[in-house]
Amino acid sequence: MLTFICSWSAGSETNLKTTYKICYKPTHCESVERNVSGKINLALFGAVQIHITAINTLGSATATFQVTKKDITFIPPVPQNVKVVPDFSSQTLSLKWIGGVSALAFPTTIEFEIQVLWTEKMEVIHTESYAAQLDSQNKTFQWSWISGVPLNCTSHSVRIRSISTDILMNSKNGSSDWSKLQTIPGADDSKSVMFPEDKVVRVGTNMTFCCVAGRGQRIKTLVYGAEHLPCSELGIRSKAITKYNLPPSDSAGTNIMCNLDPPHLLGTVVFVGYPPDDQQLECETRDLQNIVCYWSPGRQTMLLREHRTFYTLTERISGKNASCHQANDDDADLNDDKYKCNFPVISGQQMYKFLLKAKNPLGEVKTNYTLNLYTRVYPYSPSKVTVLCTGSRQTKLFLSWGVSYKNMTCQFEIVTNNKEKQLRNFTLPDQEANALSRVAVDQLYPDTSYSFRTRCASAEHFWKWSSWSESKTCKTQEEAPSKALDVWREIKRTEHGQNVLVKWKPLPHSDAKGTIVKYEITWNVVNEVGEQSAIAPVSVNSTELHLNFSDYVIAVRAVNSVGSSPSSQIRILGLFEEQADEPSIISGMPSGFNLSWSPGTNETCGYIVEWCLFPDTLDCNMQWERVPPKTTHTVITSDGFRPGVRYSISVYGCSQHKEYLLKKMVGYTQELAPRRAVKVKAEANSSHTVTLRWEDIPVQDHQGFIRGYRVYYVPQVNFSARSQKSGIKEVINITDPDVRNVTVTNLHSATYEFTVKAYTAGGEGIGEPININLVDSPLGLFLAILIPLGVTCFCGILLGIFCYTKRNCVKETFYPDVPNPEIHGEQWSVVEGRSSNPTFDVKPFIPDKVWIIESVPGKDVDDSDICTMEMNNGDNGSVNNLEVISDSGYKPQMRPHVPLLDVNHTPNPQHLDLTEQSEGYQPQLKVSNWSVESPEVDEASACIGSPTSVNSTQFLLPYQASEEGQSTRSSSWKFSSLMSSAQKR
Amino acid sequence: MATGVRHDAIEDNISFALSDCYAKAEALARKVHSEAKQITESYREKQGLSQDLNLDSIDGVPESGTSKWAELTEEERLRENAAAFAALHRLLGTVLKEQQDDLTPGDYKFHDALLSLLAKVEALAETTKQLLLSLGHVLPRAEEEREEEGLRYFQKKRRGYKVIVELSGWALRAVRDFARLKRRNRREAGGKREVKKRGSRR
């Protein structure tokens, strides 16, 4: 049977007392006093009819409902015995409660909804659903939650309710009431505190820190290290900051500090690091008595001291622990050698299974390693190595170890004093501790220092080479030189005999097989008995023999402490003159010469190539090289070859009886431009031809094969100033290197600069310019002057004749008729009084003489009337000449010559009168009109700067100049007058 | 007469010994001050503490800042100094131990500096005690060793910082105190000799 709660609405309200009766079975009725809900108990398997009867004093009314299971909502019970247990260190809340419905005939699924709240603010900070099944039995449920905020920071409350989710039970979810709040109080207000305290957390986690102020205190700031983070309020006394993605802290941890008011400082420290990351565990034995296991610590945990990683290494077969003092010692240096544990070998046990546990506050890591003792032998290097050089090509080594090993495979590293390395393998049988093993080393070179070191590994199960032993050195003994010296000679014949310089090349160490102490030189005349000898010290590589003209055999041997080398012989033919063809030219490379020659007919023992490294010097430093038989080419190279130096190379053929000259060659490794200028002499054959002659350049200055010459010449404009050259530079290229002169033709009468430059494949050399002046004959000069003069005169005469015959036309063109002005005598006479022209400021003077030249009143004037007035100043008796050009037309600056004028001066009425008689355009009639327009006017010069005009100089030029101008004008008039008079005639 | 001369010689010797003791104490205090000042900075940096760290409310560390110092007699000052240096020596030992526990093994230089300072503070405490005895004063009562358990990391850091800061302060003031005592001792010895010279002339 289930209990159902039925509820209904009362319908229309009456003031009368109404009671209800609820009948859900025909026989089962219950009365409900003034309620609109009632409980019924029934087993609901099908539809049920429910009758609700409302009864009051006026009567009753019954309503009938039919309900099915679908219409009824299942409301699960409120969880019982709810208990919350906090774990402050892990910030975890654990919730326990009991749930169950005894009336349930079958289990039903429900959901517990759990809410966590900050009690002080009644703020829900977490809601979670917990799915479960309820049945008739009471069951205990458990749920836990880790808070992001330390639980001490503020009071936390938890409540829980049940929600039916079983679709078989009902169509809509019914939920129970919330359980009573279970509160976990935060820190009390007795003192100020910070949370969490001294936590160790993983890098990358998010963490909230809070500060809880005590009574009477207020939180001022809350900082993470030196970082100010957004602060959230958990309650009146509590504030929190959250640091996301925590970075690794340093060794002393990171401080979180809370400043309070009144001043007080709180703090907590957080250590941020990583869990252990130890890996690559490996175990081995070095002495078959102890097993050493070592590993890589992997990523640093960043946690130290009490938070550091602790190690335990357990051998699982025996169950024994290894000693890991060094790994667990916090004072040990943090190097890779720190991470190892030692485990003593257990007698009779060959297989070992190790388990390494590495643990710190943030986690634990385990690593396994299994080993067979004899497959992981890492031997020590030999504790003692002795070496004994017993012969010239072999030595003995003695090795021993402090511990015993089974069969070992070993390696020698042999290093010569030339740093050549060689590795040789050998095996050693079972080794007892401190027993000496002997190893013979052969195939060594005589008189060579060797350093030996060795390393070994287990022969049966190779695991690792030991480290190298210390190096031991010894030197093998000497042997007699094995190879004959390379000998050559330089012969200088004199009147009395032949001086033979016998030269040899020192034996390389590989052939000397010891330290050469001297050289033995012997010689004898061919086919004669009697041998002469000489000794040369080891410091020299040549000796000079003074021989007669006989044929000689000379032998040279190198001698060391053990013996002498095979004899090396050369033959000297006393009366034999070496002849060879003209040297052929060869081209070289910067490093040397690539030589080839035709095979010698008598050649039986190869060829000798000979050259001088310093051909310019007295001791030419003769070099030679032997070429094997049947080989007719070689490359000679030397660092001593220099560009621009001519090398002579001789090839000798070698036969049984003699060495004979086969071929001579000359060449340069690299051609350069000649280094000396060509000295030129010039000879002028005529004013247009010059012959240049020059001398040879010395061979040592050629620096290459001369391919030809270039002749440059250029005419000079100013011989003294060399820079002022002009004209085109001409060049003549002479491709024949034997030419020593050239004739330059088609030159002009001028100074020429000639330069001759030799050139090689390396370029053009320098030149010495030479100048030569080419001068014409006096007759030519005269002709050059007279002919143009004569032509000019002739043209002038022709022009004169032409102009005379066509004079009318010329006059019309250049001197047309000018209208005649009518000037009467009264008008022309100078009127007494002052001129109105203010500029015409002539000081009062009285002309005492006036001549009128060619000016008769009323008479026609052809061109212009010119009046020359001679005025005698009555005051001082000086005479002023005044020339007046009287023109009825344009008279722009018609002014008498006057001194510089004072513009303020009162105009002379006489002058005014004079100008008033003038007609036509008179732009400068009034000084006041133009003087002010002139820039920079001052009173003294106000008149200067008049408008520009053909006659403006009349004002600007001084008096004398004006006179000159007058005379010029006068002459021009005379010419026109002449023309006009000629016309009249 | 001979007894009088011997007595004068003994007095001179005592005065000389005292003067030497003052000079030694002054030199030691000067070194302690200088080293403590240097270590203060290293310590602060290593522990991630700010320069304006509030050091109030840290108990158990003798504080050098007091306005009443001028009111104290020389004997009281010596006794205060002796007590403070003894306490600071003990506390500095604790700081050193904490540093060994908490800092990296690479901080050997810092550890060595702390060890060196610890030795000097011990010597200074002992010298001050000897001076008190030489002057016939009563030694300060030995403070009971309090092992503070359960201090959090941050509290340890702050306390360590305060110990070094206060040590520097005490040492600085002790330099002045010992210098003053040394001068006074010289003056007194000189005065006595002058009086005796005059007396002998008469």
Side-chain angles (χ1 to χ4, degrees), chain A residues 847-915:
Chain A
D848 45 11
K849 278 183 188 174
V850 176
W851 286 287
I852 307 296
I853 301 169
E854 279 189 278
S855 178
V856 180
K859 188 186 172 185
D860 289 344
V861 179
D862 288 338
D863 196 6
S864 60
D865 292 339
I866 298 170
C867 303
T868 304
M869 292 171 285
E870 190 181 81
M871 289 167 278
N872 292 328
N873 193 322
D875 294 344
N876 53 17
S878 65
V879 176
N880 289 320
N881 290 321
L882 177 65
E883 184 182 84
V884 177
I885 300 171
S886 176
D887 191 346
S888 58
Y890 175 57
K891 293 182 279 187
Q893 296 182 35
M894 179 193 164
R895 296 287 304 274
H897 292 292
V898 291
L900 290 176
L901 304 174
D902 183 358
V903 289
N904 297 326
H905 190 84
T906 312
N908 190 335
Q910 276 185 325
H911 299 143
L912 290 172
D913 290 343
L914 180 71
T915 52

Side-chain angles (χ1 to χ4, degrees), chain A residues 12-238:
Chain A
S12 57
E13 191 61 41
T14 62
N15 292 328
L16 300 173
K17 183 185 175 187
T18 305
T19 57
Y20 295 96
K21 190 169 74 177
I22 179 167
C23 301
Y24 51 92
K25 282 180 184 172
T27 56
H28 194 157
C29 289
E30 281 181 20
S31 290
V32 184
E33 293 288 328
R34 289 192 68 81
N35 260 339
V36 285
S37 67
K39 286 182 180 175
I40 56 173
N41 292 311
L42 53 90
L44 191 64
F45 292 111
V48 176
Q49 286 227 332
I50 295 172
H51 311 277
I52 297 170
T53 308
I55 306 160
N56 64 12
T57 51
L58 298 177
S60 66
T62 300
T64 302
F65 304 92
Q66 180 165 327
V67 293
T68 61
K69 202 170 128 189
K70 282 184 182 175
D71 302 322
I72 300 168
T73 303
F74 171 61
I75 297 172
V78 177
Q80 299 299 307
N81 291 345
V82 178
K83 281 184 184 170
V84 183
V85 180
D87 181 359
F88 290 99
S89 64
S90 63
Q91 300 176 193
T92 307
L93 286 176
S94 298
L95 187 68
K96 276 185 182 176
W97 69 95
I98 291 173
V101 181
S102 58
L104 280 175
F106 49 87
T108 178
T109 57
I110 66 157
E111 221 171 51
F112 293 108
E113 189 180 20
I114 305 158
Q115 282 189 339
V116 184
L117 304 89
W118 282 339
T119 317
E120 200 175 333
K121 296 166 81 175
M122 280 308 283
E123 181 184 332
V124 177
I125 56 164
H126 184 72
T127 302
E128 194 174 317
S129 293
Y130 181 101
Q133 277 206 324
L134 275 189
D135 56 23
S136 57
Q137 299 294 314
N138 274 343
K139 280 203 291 187
T140 303
F141 296 94
Q142 203 167 351
W143 171 85
S144 65
W145 171 71
I146 298 170
S147 169
V149 177
L151 297 176
N152 319 61
C153 292
T154 187
S155 297
H156 287 73
S157 294
V158 183
R159 62 184 180 183
I160 184 169
R161 66 175 179 176
S162 313
I163 300 171
S164 171
T165 55
D166 198 333
I167 51 168
L168 293 172
M169 293 289 286
N170 47 279
S171 59
K172 52 184 178 181
N173 295 348
S175 60
S176 73
D177 290 336
W178 286 105
S179 68
K180 203 177 161 188
L181 278 176
Q182 302 291 313
T183 301
I184 308 299
D188 61 29
D189 61 355
S190 60
K191 61 172 185 176
S192 300
V193 279
M194 273 201 81
F195 297 104
E197 292 178 321
D198 303 343
K199 278 275 238 184
V200 184
V201 292
R202 276 188 84 141
V203 171
T205 52
N206 304 330
M207 201 166 176
T208 301
F209 305 89
C210 73
C211 180
V212 185
R215 203 178 303 119
Q217 289 191 303
R218 189 178 64 84
I219 297 166
K220 273 168 68 185
T221 56
L222 186 56
V223 290
Y224 178 89
E227 204 177 341
H228 289 264
L229 298 168
C231 205
S232 61
E233 230 168 76
L234 306 179
I236 299 167
R237 297 187 298 121
S238 182

Side-chain angles (χ1 to χ4, degrees), chain A residues 197-198 251-252 255 257 263-269 271 304-307 330-331, chain B residues 46-49 53-54 57 100-105 107-108 152-154 157-158:
Chain A
E197 292 178 321
D198 303 343
S251 60
N255 303 326
M257 287 171 284
H264 185 64
L265 179 72
L266 290 177
T268 185
V269 182
F271 296 89
L304 296 162
R305 302 297 167 182
E306 65 182 271
H307 304 133
D330 57 351
D331 281 333
Chain B
K46 279 179 192 301
Q47 301 293 357
L49 299 171
L53 190 72
N54 186 338
S57 75
Q100 281 172 341
D101 285 347
D102 297 338
L103 291 183
T104 59
D107 291 325
Y108 290 129
R152 297 290 176 188
Y153 277 104
F154 191 72
K157 286 181 177 188
R158 277 181 75 203

Side-chain angles (χ1 to χ4, degrees), chain A residues 559-572:
Chain A
V559 181
N560 67 11
S561 65
V562 178
S564 59
S565 68
S567 178
S568 182
Q569 291 186 341
I570 51 169
R571 289 160 197 80
I572 308 295

